[in-house]
Structure formats: structure tokens, C-alpha cells
Amino acid sequence: MRCSSILALFFISGGAINPTFAHAMTPSEVTSSSGTRVQANSDAKSEDNSSTGTNATQEERGEQEESPQGQTDQSRNEKNATASPTLQLQSANQWLAELQNIITNANFQVSFVQTIAGKETVPYLWRHGIMEDGSELEQLNLQNGPGRELIRVNDVVSVFEPDVQPYSLRSKHINGPIPSALLYHPEQLSSAYEFVAVGRARVAGRSAQQIRIVSRDNTRFGYQLWLDESSGMLLKLNMLDLQGALLEQIQVTAFAISPEPAEYFSRINSASLPAPMALSNTPSRAHKWDVTYLPAGMREIKQDTRRLALTGQVVEYKLFSDGLVDVSVYVQPAEDALGETLALRNEVSTFLTLTDGKAQVTVVGEIPLQTANAIATSLRPVADTGQ
């Protein structure tokens, strides 16, 4: 759920989302770096055939398929029946903490698909592992077409894609379809969004806890999140417009949690990966314009001066983010303006250009059109802001 490129916004197509579901969950156990053991069961048959204890409640077994070995003794039923209220009473923040814990500490493999209205469903493979020497490795692999692969070793992310020289950047997280802040730092989203525990649901044959993510000032799209009840793993993430219609969906089709990292990671030779790129610290020239309105919790991440590749014109650039959504703002003098007012919107992204007598401003991001307009019309000369 990231901002699309500007050029991509000129290729807009419509269509209905047709999410793909699968039930390929693999039962396994994991021992995290803190020594916590987590049981991940696929369905009722795997659960009933297991010789170990189960975390499923009596209500869960009623929802799942029955099997010949589904009968258990009375004491086991009573024990599991008393576990359900504990699950129900957990707050949204507690469930998000469980997601953060498993994403950070567990060895896992997740298959998921990203579906955006009017576009082809895109499958991904996502792996994470903690090696014996304490190194943290992560892989995100695009499964369709020529492919695109990102590999993270501790705080270095290497990118491999067709027709592009491999390169590496310093980052503690892979930037993929699932927002990193939601996975690793959900507490940073609290000023922009409210998290509401909705209750129990069922996703891909598993008992899940549903959480609503609501913009505090109703200026951004909303989200629905489903977490696996037994492990805390992400199962599904929906992006919804202001009317509640589905815009984008992340759907997990299979996941496995294991005591040891995937064998794939043992084949990675860190020394053979590209060296991290040295980023330029050249100071940007002072900006003449400032954005005086932002949605709650959104802040400036970056500003610089850029030269447009197609025209050679110099524009002021600012990047804003609330952790889930990035918004780019470009400003240039009105005499250099390309065209007049332009508003484009597909199901997810907005591209808005406004021109007055002094400047042309362009706002790009996964936000409603009215929010983009509020940001664009708040542009003021720096002198008028007292800076």
C-alpha cells in the first residue's frame, strides 16, 4: 500500500476485486529468540491429529470441519473453553503487539496475493529467519513474470530486478506491499489512526481477530486487519474508501512457522551482495513555498529540489507520511507550469495539479481527492508563514 509512480497514474483502468483464497496452512512450532513457543495449526484435521496440546477453543472447533478423531476428553474441552474469554478481551494494541513479535522474532514463510481493482492479482513469497549467529534475514519475492527479489541482511536491503544492475540500500525493513510501520512500529500510527478490536472472524479456514484502522480526522482511507488467533500472524489486510468500498487487499494464502530458518537463507552469501549505496548529503536550496495543512498525524519526511527528467524544470519536492500513507508534493513557478488544473483518480491513488497566479502544485498519494485538494490549497509562500 504505497504511492504509485506519477506516470503510472495516467494508465487507469477499472474493475472489481476478485480475491484469491487458499487453505494451505502448515502446522509447525516456532521458538522465538525470547524462547516463546507458538503453535500454528492449519485446520481441524491437523489440530485433531496432533499429539500435542491445542490452543483452539471449543467455539473454534464448532466452526471447523469435524474429523473422526475430533472427540476429546471432557477436561480438555473445559480447559479450552476457559481460554476463549482471554482472546476476546485482548485489546487491538495487544493483538498488534503479537503481530510485531512474530514478525520480528519468528522463522516464517508466508505466501500472499495483492489485489487492486482493475489490475492483475500479484503473488508474493515472504520469508524471515533468525540465524544461529543472531543475524536477521528477510526475503520478498515477486512470483509473477521475470520476478523481483529483495533480500535483507540485518540493516542492508539488496534489490534484484530484470534489466537493472543489482543495488543495496541501508534499511531495517523491506519496503513491500504491507506497510512496515504496521508490522514493526504500530505505536507510531496512534496519532493518525484509531485501532478498534472488532472481534472474531474466520479467514482462510482459521480463527482470526479483526481490527479496524480508522483515520482520526476522516481524511484518509480506512483499513481492516485480520490476525491469526493462535500465532498473531497477518492473514488479511483491506484498504477501504470513505464509503467503505474495497480498494486494495492483501490476502495470505499459506503460511508456515518453524523452529529453524528456511534452508534458502543458508545459501545467501552476504559478501557477494552489492555494497550499500552511498547517499548524497548535498544540502537542498531553500524552499519558497510551504504546505500549511496536513491530516492528523502526518509529518514531513523529506524535502529537496528536483529536476524533472522530461522537461528539465526544477521543482520543489516534499514527502509527507503518517506511516501507512505517503504523499508527495511538487511545486514550481506558475510561468513554468505544464497545463492547468488536472485531477486524476483511480481506485487507490490521486493525482491533483492546481495552478494559481504564482505557483503550480501537484499532490500525489493514496488519499481521497478532497484531502489532496486541502493540501494543495494550503500552499503559502514561506514569508507568509513567518519562516
Side-chain angles (χ1 to χ4, degrees), residues 280-299:
S280 173
N281 292 322
T282 304
S284 173
R285 72 182 187 182
H287 282 200
K288 298 179 180 179
W289 299 89
D290 194 23
V291 173
T292 60
Y293 165 79
L294 289 173
M298 188 164 283
R299 60 188 180 89

Side-chain angles (χ1 to χ4, degrees), residues 310-340:
L310 295 179
T311 65
Q313 293 172 319
V314 176
V315 299
E316 296 179 6
Y317 168 75
K318 286 183 171 69
L319 175 65
F320 303 95
S321 180
D322 61 17
L324 289 184
V325 175
D326 294 342
V327 176
S328 296
V329 178
Y330 302 83
V331 183
Q332 61 184 336
E335 57 266 25
D336 297 334
L338 299 174
E340 298 295 330

Side-chain angles (χ1 to χ4, degrees), residues 41-42 47 132 134 153 160 164 173 200 227 251 269 310 319 332 375:
N41 297 312
S42 61
E47 174 184 289
E132 289 185 0
V153 179
F160 302 88
V164 176
H173 312 298
R200 231 169 183 194
L227 302 180
Q251 170 74 55
N269 181 4
L310 295 179
L319 175 65
Q332 61 184 336
I375 293 173

